[in-house]
Amino acid sequence: MAVVSLPVRLAALALTAATLAAPALAADTLEKIRQTRSITIGNRESARPFSFLDADKRPVGYSVELCQRVVESIKRELKMPDLKVNYLTVAGAERIPKLVAGAIDLECGSTTNTRARQEQVDFSYTFFVAGMKILSSDAALTSPQALAGKKVALSKGTTSEKLFSQLREAEVGTMQLVSFPSNGDALKALQAGQVAAFPQDDVLLQGMLSTIPDAQRYRLGESYLSVEPYGIMVRKGDAALLSLVDRTLSQLYASGEINAIYARWFDSPTLKVPMSSLLRDSIMRPSKQAAFALILGHTL
């Protein structure tokens, strides 16, 4: 048996330690796109009006249109006018894992920029600002404290799931939290009387109510439980793609074109959501401020 000298063994150990300690290589999605001549956008099934499937099962919506503008920028940047665009519908709980794993290259939905998520992915400039509220068929059940002993629907992988889990642990221990794969499933449970309330971002709740015939039965709480800026997600450390996404949004903001895009999705016969002052400020001064809970002592 060959004898390995101590200096050689120490050198090998040092190399192994350095390899283990080295950070993962930064993502380079633009190079991946260049090589595969394709890009995959992660869309949502029922996050109306941001990202949803139309009658022909095609991804459409405010976020999808913004990502399509990003794709046009990528085509020009890479000189690939024939770039193939694929779409993959993702649920709330799987959007980050699929992005990190490379199954999608951009996530174009209604994802809140939070400090916890920033540890896994990077966010673009804010393109919408929402706030969490509680939806119920009973106007008396639109605050967390009123939900003691009640069943509450939550959509998996969302900030509402995280906040209400904290509320149950710290303040309203008798709440019965029931998780559903999607917003659509949670709303169906509320309609069927299986749960008493459904907390979610106000604009998403408004978007869902705009599609059901008995919308007048439901009440949206008056109080906001959070402030939630939405951004386009890219892989962590993907500086080149993130810069291109931000540049595209900045150009839409500076030119004023964002106003027509916004009106297309938020000013319709069934849904009217005026642009908030928080969003106007984000357009005038693009930022990446993280979300925060308005209930003291809780995080998103």
Side-chain angles (χ1 to χ4, degrees):
M1 181 175 66
V3 178
V4 181
S5 68
L6 181 60
V8 172
R9 291 173 64 185
L10 289 175
L13 287 171
L15 179 60
T16 301
T19 302
L20 292 174
L25 293 175
D28 190 352
T29 302
L30 290 181
E31 182 57 32
K32 174 191 172 187
I33 293 170
R34 192 195 309 274
Q35 292 178 5
T36 63
R37 306 190 70 81
S38 67
I39 182 172
T40 302
I41 292 175
N43 63 277
R44 303 297 300 278
E45 182 176 9
S46 57
R48 188 183 296 266
F50 297 93
S51 181
F52 61 99
L53 301 180
D54 66 10
D56 297 319
K57 301 300 181 181
R58 295 176 303 187
V60 295
Y62 176 65
S63 308
V64 173
E65 183 168 348
L66 293 179
C67 280
Q68 289 169 343
R69 298 303 184 96
V70 171
V71 169
E72 292 304 313
S73 297
I74 292 173
K75 288 180 178 180
R76 291 191 295 270
E77 179 83 9
L78 300 183
K79 297 180 174 56
M80 285 185 177
D82 58 345
L83 179 66
K84 183 180 180 181
V85 182
N86 303 309
Y87 291 91
L88 180 65
T89 301
V90 295
E94 64 185 10
R95 52 191 159 174
I96 290 179
K98 285 192 178 295
L99 179 65
V100 172
I104 59 176
D105 301 312
L106 290 173
E107 194 273 339
C108 308
S110 53
T111 301
T112 302
N113 177 353
T114 69
R115 295 192 186 281
R117 288 171 176 165
Q118 287 173 8
E119 296 177 2
Q120 303 177 71
V121 299
D122 284 333
F123 284 89
S124 72
Y125 287 138
T126 295
F127 64 75
F128 192 85
V129 183
M132 193 188 307
K133 287 188 173 183
I134 298 172
L135 182 70
S136 177
S137 59
D138 185 343
L141 300 180
T142 52
S143 70
Q145 292 71 25
L147 295 176
K150 305 294 184 181
K151 288 185 178 180
V152 178
L154 297 170
S155 184
K156 287 184 178 179
T158 62
T159 51
S160 56
E161 182 182 44
K162 181 175 181 179
L163 179 58
F164 271 75
S165 294
Q166 294 176 55
L167 285 169
R168 182 182 59 183
E169 292 299 317
E171 297 180 36
V172 194
T174 58
M175 269 196 303
Q176 302 173 52
L177 305 183
V178 185
S179 293
F180 293 90
S182 69
N183 289 332
D185 292 323
L187 180 61
K188 288 177 183 177
L190 180 63
Q191 290 177 287
Q194 298 170 358
V195 297
F198 173 30
Q200 183 52 281
D201 295 350
D202 58 341
V203 67
L204 295 178
L205 294 172
Q206 290 172 279
M208 287 186 286
L209 289 175
S210 73
T211 67
I212 61 176
D214 59 344
Q216 69 280 358
R217 287 184 53 207
Y218 301 95
R219 297 291 178 268
L220 203 56
E222 293 184 2
S223 300
Y224 282 104
L225 307 180
S226 65
V227 175
E228 313 217 9
Y230 292 175
I232 297 171
M233 286 196 297
V234 305
R235 277 181 278 281
K236 188 72 176 175
D238 197 343
L241 179 58
L242 183 60
S243 176
L244 193 150
V245 173
D246 285 342
R247 190 162 66 246
T248 301
L249 292 177
S250 293
Q251 290 168 352
L252 292 174
Y253 295 172
S255 68
E257 194 174 354
I258 190 65
N259 295 308
I261 297 174
Y262 184 92
R264 190 157 31 252
W265 299 104
F266 293 92
D267 187 9
S268 71
T270 57
L271 180 66
K272 292 191 179 295
V273 181
M275 189 177 289
S276 68
S277 59
L278 288 175
L279 179 55
R280 290 190 183 281
D281 188 64
S282 295
I283 289 172
M284 291 178 61
R285 290 175 287 273
S287 71
K288 301 186 182 187
Q289 182 176 345
F292 56 92
L294 294 174
I295 305 176
L296 191 63
H298 296 282
T299 60
L300 298 177

